[in-house]
Amino acid sequence: MKHWRVEQIAWDRFEPSKVDPEIIPLVKAAAMVERNGGDYAIYLKRVFKDDPDFSRAADHWAEEEIQHGDALGQWASLADPGWDYAAAFERYRNGYSIDINANASIRGSRTGELIARCIVETGTSSYYTALAEATEEPVLQQVCKLIAADEYRHFKLFYDHMKRYLAREDLSFARRLRVAFGRVGESEDDELAFAFHCANEGPGLAYSHDRCIAGYMGRAMGFYRPRHLERGMGMIFKAVGLEPRGRLSQIAARGAWRLLCWRRDRYRQALSRMAPAAPLAQAA
């Protein structure tokens, strides 16, 4: 059962004067990706087709992911009344899809698939926590806190199933590590970049991965703080079988923070060069 509903959000507390314009494009793009959770559930249920317990869990997970998209989309529609959430999502669906007909995990094993899902939930939990702490707009704070809590719970869901499959498949530590950090690298693929395009740029502007990933990451990375990387690295370490709160995790988090700052600055430089040629769509 869902833990909350979109109707329970305190929408009447929305304060336009406290909206950060840099957050609006990110929320719009995130709404696209979250709303697309149904396809991932279809894919997961095919990969785990003989596991009814996990299939039921995947259905509940997808229901909550779709709800995340709808909550983010509704907030973005308040922040930008001229934005059409449904039309933007239709564009996204028409231009981006995953292979829902796969008969086996693209990670090479079911354990690997579940590790990859843990990494995704780690990233989203950290991200929505960062947005909740960065914004002063009370409704977005509430939405992001609720989503962040859901994503952390989803991490535990996938982690518990991962341990069950690890006992059967005995995936080596090296393979677990490759899956985890491979999935981290996929955060800059077309899924987010194309979502940013559909949510923020007009249909007359051709999609450019480089422009759109800079538009997304250049903004998103600015809201992180070291504590978000520390918590996220601990979750990654736990997913691959390492001590989540040890010295190695702390060292890795510091390295990740330095890398994030370097990449943030590179994306911002790219964004500043591209901005005159690729303005965001404005509200009518």
Side-chain angles (χ1 to χ4, degrees):
M1 298 295 293
K2 291 188 291 187
H3 290 249
W4 53 276
R5 297 191 305 277
V6 173
E7 297 78 20
Q8 295 173 316
I9 302 296
W11 298 110
D12 59 341
R13 294 181 58 216
F14 177 72
E15 297 187 36
S17 63
K18 293 185 177 181
V19 173
D20 181 348
E22 288 293 285
I23 285 184
I24 298 175
L26 300 178
V27 173
K28 290 178 179 178
M32 305 293 98
V33 177
E34 297 282 349
R35 184 67 178 76
N36 205 34
D39 276 1
Y40 283 96
I42 295 171
Y43 162 76
L44 289 171
K45 288 169 69 175
R46 288 184 66 89
V47 171
F48 294 87
K49 55 184 175 293
D50 57 350
D51 186 340
D53 289 340
F54 182 80
S55 293
R56 284 191 293 270
D59 280 335
H60 290 308
W61 167 81
E63 184 180 6
E64 293 185 352
E65 293 293 297
I66 291 168
Q67 178 174 260
H68 295 170
D70 289 342
L72 293 166
Q74 187 162 332
W75 183 87
S77 297
L78 290 175
D80 180 358
W83 186 60
D84 190 333
Y85 167 48
F89 183 66
E90 184 177 3
R91 282 181 67 199
Y92 183 63
R93 289 277 295 174
N94 289 338
Y96 179 85
S97 62
I98 64 169
D99 182 9
I100 61 174
N101 296 313
N103 290 315
S105 170
I106 60 173
R107 311 296 169 183
S109 68
R110 290 180 173 184
T111 302
E113 183 64 48
L114 292 165
I115 290 172
R117 297 315 312 172
C118 285
I119 301 308
V120 172
E121 304 302 336
T122 295
T124 52
S125 177
S126 299
Y127 180 54
Y128 290 113
T129 297
L131 287 186
E133 294 177 358
T135 184
E136 295 181 356
E137 202 292 302
V139 178
L140 185 59
Q141 281 182 353
Q142 182 186 11
V143 169
C144 287
K145 286 179 180 179
L146 287 168
I147 295 177
D150 279 352
E151 306 292 26
Y152 186 78
R153 182 166 46 80
H154 293 165
F155 171 89
K156 186 178 186 305
L157 165 73
F158 291 120
Y159 178 76
D160 288 345
H161 283 282
M162 184 272 292
K163 288 196 298 182
R164 182 163 61 92
Y165 276 95
L166 182 60
R168 304 178 189 179
E169 297 178 335
D170 194 25
L171 200 67
S172 71
F173 172 73
R175 290 177 64 188
R176 282 179 272 162
L177 201 62
R178 281 199 300 271
V179 169
F181 286 97
R183 186 60 186 86
V184 170
E186 291 173 21
S187 63
E188 298 181 18
D189 65 10
D190 280 318
E191 181 178 35
L192 272 174
F194 192 67
F196 184 86
H197 170 65
C198 294
N200 294 288
E201 297 181 341
L205 184 62
Y207 170 63
S208 163
H209 175 271
D210 290 347
R211 182 187 69 243
C212 293
I213 201 63
Y216 185 88
M217 292 295 182
R219 293 174 173 86
M221 289 179 170
F223 293 107
Y224 283 96
R225 297 296 178 264
R227 61 183 176 274
H228 305 132
L229 277 292
E230 292 168 6
R231 181 171 178 266
M233 191 58 67
M235 293 169 71
I236 291 173
F237 268 45
K238 182 175 181 178
V240 299
L242 292 171
E243 170 55 47
R245 295 183 180 85
R247 180 169 174 77
L248 184 59
S249 176
Q250 294 173 354
I251 293 171
R254 287 196 291 269
W257 173 247
R258 288 193 291 269
L259 178 61
L260 181 145
C261 291
W262 177 76
R263 293 191 66 79
R264 176 200 63 202
D265 293 344
R266 291 286 298 272
Y267 279 127
R268 285 178 171 176
Q269 291 168 10
L271 187 59
S272 66
R273 293 193 299 268
M274 299 173 185
L280 296 183
Q282 298 296 313

